[in-house]
Amino acid sequence: MDRRTASDNSGRSAELKAPARRRLLGAATILLLPVIPRVAMAAKLLAVRTWPAEDYTRVTLELDSELRAEHFTLENPHRMVVDIQGMEMNPALNDLVRKVRPDDPYISSLRVAQNRANVIRIVFDLKQAIAPQVFTLKPVGDYKFRLVLDLYPKVAQDPLTALLKKMPQKKLDEDPLARVLNDISNNPKGTGMTAMPVIPNSVAPATGPSSPGKSPTPLGRRRMVTIALDAGHGGEDPGAIGKGGTREKDVVLAIAQKLKARIDATPGMRAYLTRDGDYFVPLHVRVEKARRVKADLFVSIHADAFPRPTAGGSSVYVLSERGASSTAAKWLAEKENSADLIGGINIQTQNQQVAKILLDLSTSAQIKDSTQLASNMLDQLRNVYRLHKPQVENAGFAVLRAPDMPSILVETAFISNPTEEQMLRSAQTQDRFAVAMHTGIQQFFRANPHLASTG
């Protein structure tokens, strides 16, 4: 090999090795760059809300990302401490302090502070011992991630006891059994009780005015009947919202309260509200509450919504054994059955077996009685406003699956219809719906005296 050839080969070898050297130098440069630790971004607090009620108080923190929280309780005095990871102090947390209401049954006050890096501590000063539930919810509907703090009483009050405590003496005098139960609840250990009152085989004749203050219409000799009134939605779940901002949960609670006043003014009848304020009640708990107070009827009250704003009119639904009676009915039932997701149920602690038993025991006899009640109700509602459909509709509403009482769901009007939204805001119209439903209930018991017979 001559010198020129050797020189050429050497040059080509150097050219081939150059890219490799450049790659190696580049890699070395990358390795020599300083390693910058990644700093976790603190979650952004979007909103804080409180929902105080006799049943329980709920506190909700809505954030843009999911968080973890740890909690524990203390005694003497009663407190709950919650450590939220992934948060820094934020002016919005001051809103939580301001949202504590003086009449909250559980929270006296609260304090918020930075406990340590990336951890916020909330200390709740409590009015009584609690059994808390703390859980997170994934984004659903208009909500992002939610951290939910539910403060339940350590000893929950029985719904029947609560009902009796709120009954006026006049009503207790009408119902001898209620008097006995009320005495027992007020004297759990028998203190001050000398003898058990004798319960007669019949009570005074029950009557039913169509509105408070009017002369009563005889209904025959009956025991006290209990009507469970279920105002749909509540708390975190506003239900449907009209174009003008009217919330379904507010309208239906107002109607339920007006209907309760009329039922309570009817001798031989009393009403029980599954929700008497603005707070969330899971669907199966609504059914369970009605059963605990030995309700004879269950009436769930709603204000319909539909994608088409021209849809309108009143409707009455009963549970379907074979599917929905229309596409719209199926769509509505699916929407209403999603209330637990919107309202925020603690799935981890929900007793799925008990819920399944409550929701799967409906009978043909119950559906038959429910259909008759719905027909009576529909006949009365047509006097208030036009009907969406002239017949009772069927759909798989979870809240109607009580096995031992006639149950119906009343859609008073379409809140998604601007004209009907305005109508639903009117106290006079709300009262007219209450009168119609009250009359429908009375007609049902006149046609079915055996369901309200003395025992």
Side-chain angles (χ1 to χ4, degrees), residues 25 145 250:
L25 288 171
F145 291 92
D250 299 328

Side-chain angles (χ1 to χ4, degrees), residues 263-286:
I263 292 173
D264 287 345
T266 306
M269 285 188 179
R270 64 185 173 199
Y272 170 75
L273 295 175
T274 63
R275 172 175 78 85
D276 58 2
D278 188 11
Y279 57 95
F280 168 69
V281 182
L283 297 175
H284 78 278
V285 174
R286 295 169 184 263

Side-chain angles (χ1 to χ4, degrees), residues 221-408:
R221 296 178 66 81
R222 301 178 177 177
R223 63 175 173 82
M224 178 77 71
V225 296
T226 303
I227 318 299
L229 303 178
D230 177 55
H233 309 282
E236 290 285 287
D237 175 20
I241 301 177
K243 190 175 181 180
T246 310
R247 301 180 301 186
E248 180 181 5
K249 67 174 182 178
D250 299 328
V251 168
V252 298
L253 180 59
I255 295 173
Q257 289 170 333
K258 293 178 187 297
L259 177 54
K260 174 177 167 42
R262 292 181 177 278
I263 292 173
D264 287 345
T266 306
M269 285 188 179
R270 64 185 173 199
Y272 170 75
L273 295 175
T274 63
R275 172 175 78 85
D276 58 2
D278 188 11
Y279 57 95
F280 168 69
V281 182
L283 297 175
H284 78 278
V285 174
R286 295 169 184 263
V287 177
E288 185 179 359
K289 280 184 162 188
R291 299 184 74 200
R292 292 290 293 275
V293 300
K294 312 295 184 185
D296 298 280
L297 298 180
F298 182 92
V299 180
S300 192
I301 305 171
H302 292 256
D304 218 336
F306 202 69
R308 181 166 45 87
T310 54
S314 301
S315 307
V316 184
Y317 292 83
V318 298
L319 185 67
S320 171
E321 289 183 294
R322 300 185 181 86
S325 55
S326 66
T327 302
K330 181 176 184 293
W331 178 87
L332 179 65
E334 290 174 349
K335 182 175 72 70
E336 296 295 354
N337 290 347
S338 69
D340 279 354
L341 298 176
I342 303 294
I345 191 169
N346 186 1
I347 297 175
Q348 292 179 339
T349 59
Q350 181 188 9
N351 190 325
Q352 297 284 359
Q353 185 176 7
V354 171
K356 188 176 188 303
I357 291 172
L358 285 174
L359 300 181
D360 283 349
L361 290 179
S362 296
T363 64
S364 297
Q366 183 261 20
I367 293 176
K368 180 181 177 182
D369 289 336
S370 299
T371 302
Q372 184 174 351
L373 172 62
S375 297
N376 292 141
M377 200 70 77
L378 206 61
D379 287 342
Q380 295 303 314
L381 289 171
R382 73 173 73 245
N383 298 325
V384 178
Y385 188 57
R386 67 187 176 99
L387 301 180
H388 180 62
K389 286 192 175 180
Q391 69 277 348
V392 175
E393 295 203 70
N394 308 81
F397 292 96
V399 80
L400 298 183
R401 295 181 185 268
D404 43 12
M405 73 189 89
S407 303
I408 65 172

